[in-house]
Amino acid sequence: MNELWFDPARVAIGGDWAATDRTLPVVDPSTGETVAQIARGTANEVDAAVRAAQTALDGPWGALDATDRGRLLTRLGRLVEDRAEVLARIEAQDVGKPLKQARADALALARYLEFYGGAADKLMGETIPYRPGYTVYTLREPHGVTAHIVPWNYPMQIIGRSVGAALAMGNACVIKPAEEASLTALAFVRLAQEAGFPTGAINIVPGLGEEAGAALSAHPGVQHISFTGSVPVGSLIQAAAARNVVPVTLELGGKSPQLVFEDADLDAALPFLVNAGLQNAGQTCSAASRILVARRRYDQVVDRMAARYRAVSVGPALSDPDVGPLISARQREVVQSYLDRAADLTLAAEGRIAADAPAGGHYLAPRLLSGVTADHLLAREEIFGPVQVVIPFDDEDEAVAIANGTDFALVAAVWTDSGARQMRLAKRLRGGQVFLNTYGAGGGVELPFGGVGKSGHGREKGFEALYGFSTLKTVAAHHG
Ligand code: NAD
């Protein structure tokens, strides 16, 4: 891959980029071709990385004050911004993400670093009124070594929100990127070195989940785990964290609904209804995979969404289509297996794959399915592909029951002109974020984000993440 200015087949431990004798192929989802090799780190490298992080905490990194940590993060954010185009091209080839979406991810990473750089010295403790003769105050302190286990769908954004916040609070990080997409994570650590982060503050060990990931989550030197990924693996991570009695943030899957009421402004809603389902080929935790529509407008919404589906371009990521390929042949099979169980549904529209899309790419035509009932498998499970289901409802109570009726609760949106309904539903809908007459597809850098139920627990993004990546100490002084 021409854009790589570093050797990706190395792990970064305590400032050294060590070669490993075992590697994993990097496959470009747009072509199916192997374009690079990354290291396949094992428990040995993970152990060395955790030790390097602890050494950094005991040394120069731990000694830095909050303002200087913030300056380093800000400097790193500028380096990321300067390289946004290169990072976007790397991501496009690694994830199969259309260029403009990959560019948005790179700029979001830069913005996270800017945000957390600015926030680093602004989280304060409190003084607590207590008995006469006492002064009591609180201190916010880092956990220590934090582990960051990252999925393949948004590597840059997820590193920005978790590693950015962890570093701002003074933790030292060990990153385990996804085996399917590690390149921008490796680039990020290279840029952090360029920015001047002390040795060992940020370490990265690419590798398989069941090897490097499992070793990292079980390591007794890790004091906090931030995991973003699937429910089954999240459950394993929480069990590993429990064994070591360390806190864990789980950012898991979703089946997020957008509710369209009779009085909705459809022209405003339509781009959000479709784009939030097809962004990153639907491989988004907060994908709007369920569209719930008031029965009287059901046919109209399906028709208008279908027209947009037919206009969607599907092709290689570097040609910057609306929708790229899926991450892997395996993921395409998973999505196809759901479609195979949708014979009883109506195919309202299907997108078209570009005629010149390489035969080896993992393409799947986007599908809009109507005539769906709330209890259908495709209306309950996370498909993680370019598939949306449209479900009718008769009244507000039914809409809420359907919206809240899956195991997941991450994000929801309501489209209505009624201010009273907006306020009611903001309270009644389960989830970590509710959007009113908009859809944030995960929301901005500043907005706390996270799930309820099987979508996980803990909050990342915004100022809130700084509480999660720190621990509170109460100091009570008796002075008479
Ligand atoms: P995944 O759970 O398969 O993998 C995520 C990470 O965990 C990878 O780095 C992987 O190597 C690692 N891993 C796998 N097995 C492990 C083990 N036994 N021990 C430790 N680590 C292990 O998830 P995925 O398929 O890469 O990502 C898709 C999922 O992530 C979807 O469910 C999606 O909704 C979710 N996701 C959630 C958010 C959010 O913020 N809520 C954001 C993005 C993705």
Side-chain angles (χ1 to χ4, degrees):
M1 194 188 290
N2 294 337
E3 289 80 4
L4 293 176
W5 73 93
F6 54 88
D7 176 2
R10 288 173 177 267
V11 294
I13 299 171
D16 290 331
W17 288 88
T20 53
D21 47 4
R22 301 197 302 166
T23 58
L24 295 166
V26 175
V27 176
D28 179 346
S30 297
T31 62
E33 285 166 14
T34 297
V35 291
Q37 298 286 328
I38 52 167
R40 178 175 164 181
T42 62
N44 288 341
E45 280 92 15
V46 166
D47 182 55
V50 173
R51 286 172 194 277
Q54 187 58 55
T55 304
L57 284 166
D58 297 336
W61 174 242
L64 270 193
D65 65 33
T67 307
D68 285 336
R69 291 200 305 269
R71 286 191 180 122
L72 280 172
L73 282 163
T74 307
R75 197 177 305 151
L76 176 54
R78 284 204 207 101
L79 290 180
V80 169
E81 200 174 351
D82 291 347
R83 302 278 181 102
E85 205 50 41
V86 174
L87 291 168
R89 292 185 70 81
I90 293 173
E91 197 77 314
Q93 292 166 86
D94 204 5
V95 178
K97 188 172 288 210
L99 260 185
K100 56 180 156 324
Q101 294 173 32
R103 197 175 291 129
D105 284 5
L107 294 175
L109 170 57
R111 171 73 188 124
Y112 276 115
L113 297 166
E114 178 186 50
F115 180 87
Y116 287 119
D121 58 4
K122 293 172 190 66
L123 191 67
M124 294 167 204
E126 297 176 315
T127 55
I128 301 173
Y130 198 55
R131 296 179 194 157
Y134 282 85
T135 297
V136 181
Y137 59 95
T138 59
L139 296 171
R140 278 269 155 205
E141 297 182 337
H143 292 292
V145 177
T146 53
H148 303 261
I149 302 179
V150 177
W152 44 262
N153 59 347
Y154 286 83
M156 286 192 276
Q157 293 221 31
I158 289 163
I159 284 175
R161 76 190 193 197
S162 77
V163 177
L167 291 170
M169 293 314 295
N171 300 281
C173 303
V174 180
I175 305 170
K176 208 304 278 173
E179 46 271 53
E180 298 89 345
S182 293
L183 295 180
T184 52
L186 288 158
F188 168 81
V189 180
R190 294 274 174 179
L191 291 175
Q193 249 174 359
E194 216 177 287
F197 273 84
T199 299
I202 312 174
N203 309 275
I204 182 166
V205 183
L208 297 174
E210 56 272 29
E211 288 180 357
L216 182 58
S217 57
H219 199 290
V222 167
Q223 280 119 24
H224 179 282
I225 305 175
S226 165
F227 172 80
T228 306
S230 62
V231 176
V233 179
S235 173
L236 291 176
I237 300 286
Q238 182 152 351
R243 277 191 286 277
N244 288 330
V245 196
V246 294
V248 57
T249 303
L250 296 182
E251 298 277 10
L252 309 178
K255 192 71 184 173
S256 298
Q258 294 205 42
L259 283 59
V260 184
F261 283 87
E262 255 180 79
D263 58 351
D265 176 349
L266 215 49
D267 290 333
L270 261 168
F272 289 92
L273 298 183
V274 176
N275 296 354
L278 297 185
Q279 184 178 314
N280 199 27
Q283 303 163 119
T284 303
C285 54
S286 54
S289 49
R290 293 187 296 157
I291 305 298
L292 280 46
V293 187
R295 201 174 291 277
R296 277 207 214 145
R297 296 195 80 178
Y298 186 79
D299 290 343
Q300 189 191 7
V301 170
V302 170
D303 287 350
R304 292 191 64 180
M305 286 183 72
R308 290 185 86 92
Y309 259 71
R310 289 187 203 102
V312 153
S313 60
V314 184
L318 286 178
S319 70
D320 209 6
D322 299 315
V323 178
L326 298 185
I327 185 75
S328 61
R330 190 179 135 261
Q331 186 65 19
R332 188 175 54 186
E333 276 164 29
V334 169
V335 179
Q336 186 57 52
S337 79
Y338 276 109
L339 292 171
D340 293 344
R341 285 173 280 173
D344 53 331
L345 304 179
T346 305
L347 181 61
E350 188 172 334
R352 211 171 321 116
I353 299 168
D356 57 353
H362 311 135
Y363 300 98
L364 186 124
R367 310 293 212 289
L368 181 69
L369 300 168
S370 61
V372 186
T373 54
D375 57 353
H376 197 282
L377 181 80
L378 274 76
R380 287 185 287 110
E381 294 194 4
E382 185 182 47
I383 299 172
F384 229 54
V387 179
Q388 285 178 293
V389 297
V390 196
I391 307 170
F393 64 80
D394 286 313
D395 57 29
E396 189 176 301
D397 284 343
E398 192 191 7
V400 171
I402 296 171
N404 289 345
T406 74
D407 291 342
F408 298 107
L410 192 58
V411 176
V414 182
W415 295 91
T416 177
D417 268 357
S418 160
R421 176 174 281 150
Q422 291 169 14
M423 295 301 108
R424 269 197 308 276
L425 292 199
K427 289 188 177 168
R428 293 184 72 191
L429 291 171
R430 290 175 76 229
Q433 288 186 333
V434 174
F435 292 99
L436 304 172
N437 290 337
T438 184
Y439 194 82
V445 167
E446 306 81 356
L447 313 182
F449 179 76
V452 172
K454 294 277 193 300
S455 290
H457 51 75
R459 294 292 175 264
E460 290 189 343
K461 300 182 153 189
F463 217 72
E464 191 67 25
L466 300 174
Y467 297 106
F469 281 108
S470 60
T471 180
L472 191 78
K473 182 187 279 172
T474 305
V475 181
H478 183 227
H479 39 66

